[in-house]
Amino acid sequence: MSAPHRGAALSNLSLAAMLGLSLLFGAAAPALAAATKGPDTVADTAARVMDAVVNISTSQTVAPSRSVPTPELPPGSPFEEFFEEFFKRRQQQGEENGGRPRRVSSLGSGFVIDPAGFIVTNNHVIADADEIYANFADGSRLKAELVGRDTKVDLALLKVTPPEGKTLTSVKFGDSDVLRVGDWVMAIGNPFGLGGTLTVGVISARNRDINSGPYDNFLQTDAAINRGNSGGPLFDMDGNVIGINTAIISPSGGSIGIGFAVPANTAVPVIAQLKEFGETRRGWIGVRIQQVTDEIAESLSLGRTRGALVGSVTDDGPAAKGGIKAGDVIVKFDGKDVKDMRALPIIVADTPVDKQVDVVVVRKGKEETLKLAVGRLDENDKPADTEAPATPDKPAPDAATTTKLMGLEIAELTPELRSRFKLKDDAKGVVIVTVQPNTPAADRGLVAGNLILEVNQEATATPKDVENRIATLKKDGRRSALLMISDAGGQVRFTALPVD
């Protein structure tokens, strides 16, 4: 699998690890067309929009490599001496030639959204490019300047200057939210350098998360798109752009009928900001969130799994000023339902900075409506953090009085324990001394040195507080307890443990 620009960012995909996730530009590879019967014809629609689709060509200067790594071979291998001599000779030759830099080129796709010369493509198509050119269907070639880019959604806005007296053909964005699975779509692009290529398919799925960024909600299509289609438009049958083709899943680099496009409704506000400011200005509220599991939903009386659980709140951030607290579950933001943790960063990011919004949270089993002013996200920061993986710890036995419950051995926080677990002077709560292996507590990443701050949103200072709260939950017929946990660094998260 080859992915010249964003490949490293996507290499951690579990799905890609099995099937191979490739970005849609580069060298040629065999393609497999989607075996499906399309509409009788799309010729009229294609004729209207084809001239708005351009081929994007880029070039860049690559610094020479001063050394060639020698393959690792088992000690004593009969080829060890041969390979060492061969690669040493190659390295010497490179140094003797002065290690001259070389020019490399790449191809992608794009489309004109404004006759004034604004062109949309993927950021990975033009990343690190020294020169960018837009090649039009009539054979003309115009140099393009970068207006702005957004790495998180992988979009870029370019600008060309049309020749005097020439009007560029442009296309408009449609409403990607009205698309249904099974609706026909049409892709036009520059696969393998074969410009002006059209394919037809359907929307296979919506809101796909392929772990390429914090705002993943891709459209999935079986329209045949390949390397070189990156940045090209995905049209509906009326000729409106409803997506920007970005990635495919493929073990060979060619289409197997699983492609992904950034939805138009995600792209439009990003492109508008790039055009106006040259950068993106996303909303931000300053919360650290985590997924609401079935156990957490039951412990908080949510009725069903929904919303985003607030693990912690940034001091003096919009959420803190609006009254949001750790342990709240955000179920609605600015009138939009928050179906799960992944939905919240997307909704917040699309909300205009400084807008006053209503936020509905569930707190201690009851819904409350809070108001806050949306802040601006620093693009160098993460939009929302999730809980970090814990590191197991095996402390020495402690002489402090301990209590055992739910697979945990807990104790009141003493100076000795504070020193042993390197806890801050102002740390509070009940300290976990040991975690029993092969228990739900161990499975959920609890480790010795963690602090229990709350049980079901009630503060705990002693093991007796924890015991009493667990006993009350059992009496009320609850099956799990929601624990607010803090690590030695003060990072807070929530986890639910069975009380039986």
Side-chain angles (χ1 to χ4, degrees):
M1 178 182 71
S2 175
H5 287 289
R6 283 178 67 221
L10 297 175
S11 62
N12 64 341
L13 300 183
S14 58
L15 190 56
M18 296 184 287
L19 298 178
L21 179 62
S22 298
L23 296 169
L24 311 180
F25 78 105
L32 298 175
T36 181
K37 185 180 184 302
D40 290 337
T41 181
V42 295
D44 292 338
T45 302
R48 295 200 315 271
V49 302
M50 186 72 77
D51 288 346
V53 183
V54 300
N55 303 336
I56 303 295
S57 60
T58 69
S59 62
Q60 67 181 105
T61 302
V62 178
S65 175
R66 289 289 181 179
S67 63
V68 181
T70 304
E72 293 185 5
L73 296 172
S77 168
F79 298 104
E80 184 177 12
E81 183 177 343
F82 168 78
F83 274 107
E84 285 182 357
E85 180 62 29
F86 174 77
F87 281 92
K88 184 184 297 182
R89 190 163 55 248
R90 285 282 301 275
Q91 182 174 340
Q92 290 174 346
Q93 290 173 351
E95 293 173 351
E96 291 170 359
N97 291 334
R100 289 186 295 272
R102 57 191 178 89
R103 300 286 289 176
V104 297
S105 301
S106 63
L107 296 173
S109 304
F111 55 98
V112 181
I113 60 168
D114 187 324
F118 288 98
I119 295 173
V120 172
T121 186
N122 281 141
N123 175 62
H124 75 261
V125 170
I126 54 86
D128 303 321
D130 298 327
E131 294 182 326
I132 308 171
Y133 287 91
N135 305 286
F136 291 79
D138 62 3
S140 60
R141 184 171 187 256
L142 299 177
K143 188 172 183 178
E145 299 296 331
L146 178 64
V147 177
R149 70 175 82 214
D150 178 40
T151 58
K152 290 183 170 66
V153 180
D154 194 14
L155 293 177
L157 182 65
L158 310 177
K159 177 69 168 63
V160 299
T161 301
E164 187 175 351
K166 180 177 181 179
T167 301
L168 299 181
T169 301
S170 63
V171 289
K172 296 185 180 300
F173 284 101
D175 185 358
S176 57
D177 286 346
V178 303
L179 287 174
R180 300 177 300 166
V181 173
D183 281 345
W184 288 100
V185 290
M186 176 177 66
I188 302 177
N190 183 31
F192 311 128
L194 301 172
T197 299
L198 180 150
T199 56
V200 175
V202 298
I203 295 296
S204 306
R206 295 171 49 89
N207 304 117
R208 287 297 196 202
D209 180 5
I210 61 174
N211 293 328
S212 68
Y215 307 115
D216 281 12
N217 65 336
F218 289 97
L219 298 173
Q220 181 181 326
T221 180
D222 68 350
I225 53 179
N226 293 276
R227 295 184 181 183
N229 276 104
S230 263
L234 188 68
F235 293 101
D236 63 17
M237 291 296 99
D238 294 323
N240 299 310
V241 179
I242 47 79
I244 297 99
N245 300 318
T246 300
I248 60 174
I249 286 179
S250 172
S252 65
S255 173
I256 60 170
I258 305 178
F260 301 101
V262 177
N265 288 14
T266 297
V268 166
V270 171
I271 293 166
Q273 291 181 3
L274 294 179
K275 187 175 183 180
E276 183 177 359
F277 308 114
E279 62 181 359
T280 50
R281 298 184 178 184
R282 290 190 170 91
W284 170 79
I285 60 173
V287 292
R288 184 172 179 266
I289 58 175
Q290 51 181 106
Q291 187 71 26
V292 177
T293 63
D294 291 339
E295 293 84 0
I296 290 176
E298 191 275 336
S299 65
L300 292 177
S301 303
L302 288 178
R304 66 181 188 280
T305 302
R306 57 183 174 134
L309 177 62
V310 178
S312 61
V313 181
T314 302
D315 292 340
D316 297 324
K321 293 177 181 178
I324 293 177
K325 300 178 180 180
D328 288 346
V329 178
I330 299 175
V331 295
K332 185 171 289 189
F333 190 93
D334 195 24
K336 301 178 181 67
D337 290 332
V338 179
K339 297 180 180 179
D340 53 25
M341 178 189 72
R342 189 168 64 91
L344 183 62
I346 297 173
I347 296 172
V348 173
D350 288 341
T351 306
V353 176
D354 295 329
K355 182 179 181 180
Q356 296 281 338
V357 299
D358 289 339
V359 183
V360 179
V361 303
V362 176
R363 180 180 295 172
K364 296 186 177 181
K366 297 180 181 179
E367 287 193 358
E368 296 185 23
T369 300
L370 307 173
K371 292 183 179 294
L372 59 82
V374 176
R376 181 182 173 186
L377 174 69
D378 181 346
E379 291 296 329
N380 294 321
D381 295 336
K382 296 180 181 178
D385 284 331
T386 56
E387 59 186 82
T391 303
D393 193 6
K394 296 181 179 180
D398 185 62
T401 301
T402 60
T403 299
K404 295 182 179 180
L405 45 75
M406 297 186 296
L408 303 171
E409 188 174 2
I410 59 177
E412 190 169 349
L413 187 54
T414 63
E416 181 184 355
L417 292 175
R418 192 185 300 274
S419 174
R420 178 199 298 178
F421 295 118
K422 297 179 174 61
L423 300 173
K424 296 180 179 179
D425 292 340
D426 59 352
K428 298 178 181 179
V430 178
V431 65
I432 298 175
V433 179
T434 59
V435 180
Q436 186 176 345
N438 303 318
T439 61
D443 293 342
R444 286 160 175 75
L446 297 185
V447 296
N450 285 166
L451 294 168
I452 302 174
L453 306 182
E454 294 181 0
V455 176
N456 271 58
Q457 300 181 308
E458 296 289 340
T460 54
T462 67
K464 192 64 176 178
D465 293 338
V466 178
E467 279 189 297
N468 291 341
R469 190 60 186 152
I470 297 302
T472 300
L473 292 173
K474 288 182 178 181
K475 183 178 179 181
D476 293 341
R478 306 291 283 274
R479 294 176 297 175
S480 59
L482 182 69
L483 307 184
M484 178 190 278
I485 302 295
S486 173
D487 63 16
Q491 289 289 338
V492 175
R493 65 186 177 102
F494 288 87
T495 190
L497 294 180
V499 296
D500 293 333

